[in-house]
Amino acid sequence: MSASRHPALFATDPELASFVAAEENLQAETLRLIPSENYVSAAVLEASGTVLQNKYSEGYPGRRYYEGQQNIDKVEALAVERAKGLFGVDHANVQPYSGSPANLAVYLAFAEPGDTVMGMALPMGGHLTHGWGVSATGSWFRGVQYGVRPETGLIDYDAVRELALTERPKIIFCGGTALPRTIDFAAFASIAEEAGSVLVADVAHIAGLIAGGAHPSPAGHVDVISTTTHKTLRGPRGAMLMCREEHAKAIDKAVFPGLQGGPHNQTTAGIAVALHEAAQPAFTAYAHAVVANAKALAEALLARGFDLVSGGTDNHLILMDLTSRDVPGKVAAKALDRAGIVVNYNTVPFDPRKPFDPSGIRIGTPSLTSRGLGVGQMGQVAEWIARAVEAAAKSDEAALATIRAEVASLLSTYPAPGLPLS
Ligand SMILES: *Cc1c(COP(=O)(O)O)cnc(C)c1O
């Protein structure tokens, strides 16, 4: 099927084309539960694969270091205007290559090497780039970390305040990669104000929920909003930095020439299309459905006796603690993969196991929601997960193969955006 879908690619490089075709099949036939993944629309895919790729555009619209920008300037200006409108911000920079470089630009704009910065600890659900030790941000800066309360799995705002007032960090990051609960941006804002820190909301995971009105917005509370564009926001792989007017110059200078060269114009085009889609009523419905599905899936998992960090979810993401099942996260994740259910193993807060072999798995509902699955199917999804975890404990490969066939059969009636009908 993909020979006709990518004819030039098949003619030129059949080996590579066969890998792409296999990936298309994989994404069509498996239940993709990795919460940072999604399916972009065919329109976003097309925009991201255009001849805009061929153009060098260092600088910003109207202020470039290369000629021939009459079309590129319009593309980038459109993406910027759409980002500002959708998120209600003064300023947007759509050039960061991805979420990690976007965050590096924030450091460049507001801190000097050696300065203290504060973020959520990686094993608690934070991101590497929030000052964690193995990241450049944790070796070039002095990272101090907050976490969640052991009893509730919720962010300990009293401890955040205490740490901020003791350490007076230059930058405070809120947001993370494994946070199943609503972030209280107002609480972080009052702490940052007291501590004299620049507050950054890294909403990489939840940007689509914010755009669709299914999570409160950090706009008006924080100095800078950092986000990827490819998670719940359902755009191409990229990132944006948004801020109040007072920080616009610092942010732009940090991205270019501070950190990057030419922007990826084909990605900018894809971001513009994704932002247009995210402003439509259908996207609002999608964002609320993502959350409704996650809550229904969490309920169904709890009913099957699973332990969930914080006891459930407010957003798109569920962190399952498999300690009581005697199946480590990695073993469960690999078994689920063989059963056609794609998740990632993940540390849980206060995990006694190692990050490369942790106690939990992280799942989420953006991808299945983009395919049109609804709350009515979440019981079935929970049942598959329970059966697969049980099969993992018994090394029952036949049971995993049965689940894989059942998953593919259900999904064949829910075509994924951007993929050929198989
Ligand atoms: C995904 C993510 C990032 C990093 O994005 P990349 O595009 O993978 O570099 C940064 N911060 C948070 C909170 C994320 O979830």
Side-chain angles (χ1 to χ4, degrees), residues 98-100 103 127 176-177 202 204-205 228 230-231:
S98 212
S100 303
N103 284 346
H127 192 260
T177 63
D202 183 349
H205 261 262
T228 58
H230 49 270
K231 299 180 184 175

Side-chain angles (χ1 to χ4, degrees), residues 322 327-334 344-346 353 357-361:
L322 297 175
V327 182
K330 200 172 186 172
V331 173
K334 289 192 178 301
N344 66 275
Y345 55 87
N346 214 98
R353 302 177 65 92
D357 185 17
S359 299
I361 57 174

Side-chain angles (χ1 to χ4, degrees), residues 46-383:
E46 280 182 16
S48 315
T50 54
V51 296
L52 301 185
Q53 169 93 273
N54 298 340
K55 192 74 196 120
Y56 240 106
S57 313
E58 285 182 0
Y60 291 99
R63 298 177 280 140
R64 304 283 192 187
Y65 292 80
Y66 293 74
E67 297 312 314
Q69 306 294 342
Q70 44 274 61
N71 305 308
I72 301 298
D73 274 5
K74 288 181 190 157
V75 169
E76 186 171 335
L78 189 60
V80 167
E81 282 314 305
R82 287 174 176 172
K84 285 161 62 178
L86 189 65
F87 288 95
V89 292
D90 296 341
H91 182 74
N93 186 311
V94 298
Q95 294 193 3
Y97 299 142
S98 212
S100 303
N103 284 346
L104 262 190
V106 171
Y107 287 89
L108 193 57
F110 299 109
E112 299 285 334
D115 280 350
T116 300
V117 298
M118 185 170 142
M120 193 171 203
L122 183 70
M124 295 283 175
H127 192 260
L128 280 166
T129 57
H130 297 181
W132 191 246
V134 297
S135 152
T137 62
S139 52
W140 294 343
F141 301 91
R142 184 177 156 268
V144 295
Q145 257 83 33
Y146 58 87
V148 297
R149 288 183 195 272
E151 340 54 271
T152 59
L154 302 176
I155 292 175
D156 186 344
Y157 288 96
D158 296 330
V160 172
R161 180 169 176 273
E162 216 175 285
L163 187 64
L165 294 181
T166 311
E167 299 287 352
R168 304 271 167 184
K170 274 279 174 64
I171 305 173
I172 297 176
F173 281 90
C174 59
T177 63
L179 304 181
R181 295 296 182 175
T182 301
I183 300 165
D184 187 344
F185 297 117
F188 271 105
S190 77
I191 292 167
E193 187 174 22
E194 242 186 299
S197 312
V198 170
L199 179 61
V200 182
D202 183 349
V203 299
H205 261 262
I206 55 173
L209 305 184
I210 292 167
H215 187 290
S217 172
H221 294 294
V222 307
D223 293 290
V224 179
I225 301 171
S226 174
T227 187
T228 58
T229 46
H230 49 270
K231 299 180 184 175
T232 53
L233 192 54
R234 223 160 55 177
R237 307 197 77 81
M240 307 192 292
L241 288 170
M242 297 176 279
C243 61
R244 303 195 179 114
E245 196 52 51
E246 60 178 301
H247 298 311
K249 271 214 171 85
I251 287 292
D252 283 355
K253 235 180 89 193
V255 174
F256 175 86
L259 199 66
Q260 299 188 170
H264 295 177
N265 297 310
Q266 76 284 3
T267 299
T268 306
I271 290 173
V273 174
L275 293 170
H276 175 67
E277 291 176 348
Q280 308 308 315
F283 192 90
T284 305
Y286 146 81
H288 285 89
V290 166
V291 175
N293 281 339
K295 284 180 186 287
L297 181 54
E299 284 305 319
L301 290 168
L302 289 169
R304 289 181 177 278
F306 283 106
D307 295 322
L308 309 182
V309 171
S310 86
T313 183
D314 298 327
N315 54 31
H316 64 302
L317 182 152
I318 297 165
L319 196 51
M320 299 175 64
D321 183 346
L322 297 175
T323 306
S324 67
R325 295 291 167 128
D326 288 328
V327 182
K330 200 172 186 172
V331 173
K334 289 192 178 301
L336 281 158
D337 192 47
R338 296 201 292 283
I341 299 172
V342 189
V343 307
N344 66 275
Y345 55 87
N346 214 98
T347 52
V348 297
F350 310 101
D351 203 326
R353 302 177 65 92
K354 298 263 184 324
F356 199 60
D357 185 17
S359 299
I361 57 174
R362 190 184 68 149
I363 62 177
T365 51
S367 296
L368 64 79
T369 306
S370 290
R371 293 186 81 142
L373 271 73
V375 291
Q377 273 106 17
M378 295 307 107
Q380 174 65 77
V381 172
E383 193 229 5

